[in-house]
Amino acid sequence: VQLVESGGGLVKPGGSLRLSCAASGFSFSSYSMNWVRQAPGKGLEWVSSISSSSSYIYYADSVKGRFTISRDNAKNSLYLQMNSLRAEDTAVYYCATAKAFDIWGQGTMVTVS
Amino acid sequence: DIVMTQTPLSLSVTPGQPASISCKSSQSLLHSDGQAYLYWYLQKPGQSPQLLIYEVSSRFSGVPDRFSGSGSGTDFTLKISRVEAEDVGVYYCMQGIHLYTFGQGTKLEIK
């Protein structure tokens, strides 16, 4: 069971970035998925969740209207489209499985500066 | 929004001694299905968080039995019966009844 995030990097305020999370070793299409972020030296912050069939999608107030979560079950992949990025979005972004956040990826760093 | 408050924010424990972390929620975490959606995670230095306890008291696969969770309603506790050096890191509680919210984290160090 593995999750591998990618797509992080340095972006200017107001810019966009698309994160990906590649899943392997489990039945990806059967589980809801989540994005969690951690600003440098800070705690964990839930960002967004998507149900197994994409029927239900939720966002934290801090990213609502700017971020879009999506998934492609055929490709075993989860995505986070981040628009109108702000300095306060600077963080390591993790994907995690299911309601219990059982499995976490290694994270990908997003720097908005 | 549900606020999760952990205490203490840091603790220093001698190996072999017990440790306890409290997590209080601003609203009851008891769902109408009878389950309480409270989770505990450990983030070891330089690593991603890992699930320790789900639904208040169930240990995740591979988690040593020195870790235990208890509580109900709005008050929850994570206990480590005998702290080992590998238990250092930051412990987080998280509620999952109304979206998700993490506690501030409790940093555990070894004396």
Side-chain angles (χ1 to χ4, degrees):
Chain A
V1 178
Q2 190 175 16
L3 298 173
V4 179
E5 300 94 337
S6 61
L10 175 64
V11 61
K12 296 183 186 302
S16 298
L17 215 52
R18 188 195 195 207
L19 306 183
S20 299
C21 170
S24 60
F26 66 102
S27 181
F28 178 77
S29 62
S30 299
Y31 295 94
S32 61
M33 293 294 296
N34 314 281
W35 286 100
V36 176
R37 68 184 181 183
Q38 185 171 36
K42 302 298 184 181
L44 302 172
E45 180 189 14
W46 169 75
V47 172
S48 182
S49 297
I50 186 169
S51 62
S52 58
S53 61
S54 304
S55 298
Y56 301 97
I57 288 175
Y58 307 96
Y59 298 99
D61 287 344
S62 58
V63 307
K64 200 174 295 183
R66 300 187 299 121
F67 289 11
T68 302
I69 191 172
S70 63
R71 63 189 296 162
D72 186 335
N73 288 342
K75 295 183 177 180
N76 289 341
S77 293
L78 174 72
Y79 306 101
L80 187 67
Q81 177 66 43
M82 304 186 296
N83 298 331
S84 303
L85 283 162
R86 306 166 180 167
E88 54 265 36
D89 295 319
T90 294
V92 174
Y93 285 73
Y94 298 99
C95 59
T97 59
K99 182 170 178 63
F101 295 53
D102 306 31
I103 305 299
W104 296 62
Q106 85 290 348
T108 186
M109 182 71 203
V110 172
T111 303
V112 185
S113 177
Chain B
D1 292 2
I2 297 178
V3 177
M4 305 297 289
T5 303
Q6 290 182 228
T7 54
L9 296 183
S10 67
L11 70 165
S12 182
V13 183
T14 301
Q17 293 301 302
S20 179
I21 301 171
S22 171
C23 177
K24 296 184 186 296
S25 59
S26 60
Q27 300 175 32
S28 174
L29 302 186
L30 181 61
H31 193 272
S32 56
D33 64 8
Q35 195 57 257
Y37 293 99
L38 186 284
Y39 307 85
W40 289 97
Y41 302 86
L42 166 60
Q43 187 173 30
K44 296 182 178 181
Q47 296 186 17
S48 303
Q50 58 188 84
L51 176 65
L52 295 175
I53 302 288
Y54 62 96
E55 294 169 5
V56 180
S57 59
S58 296
R59 270 188 305 276
F60 187 53
S61 174
V63 175
D65 60 8
R66 64 179 181 275
F67 290 93
S68 64
S70 63
S72 63
T74 60
D75 291 354
F76 303 91
T77 302
L78 175 71
K79 292 183 179 178
I80 310 172
S81 59
R82 295 173 305 279
V83 170
E84 297 187 4
E86 66 180 23
D87 300 336
V88 298
V90 181
Y91 291 79
Y92 295 93
C93 61
M94 182 191 81
Q95 66 83 15
I97 192 172
H98 178 65
L99 300 180
Y100 302 97
T101 313
F102 290 92
Q104 322 96 297
T106 295
K107 185 174 184 178
L108 184 147
E109 65 172 26
I110 299 295
K111 280 186 182 174

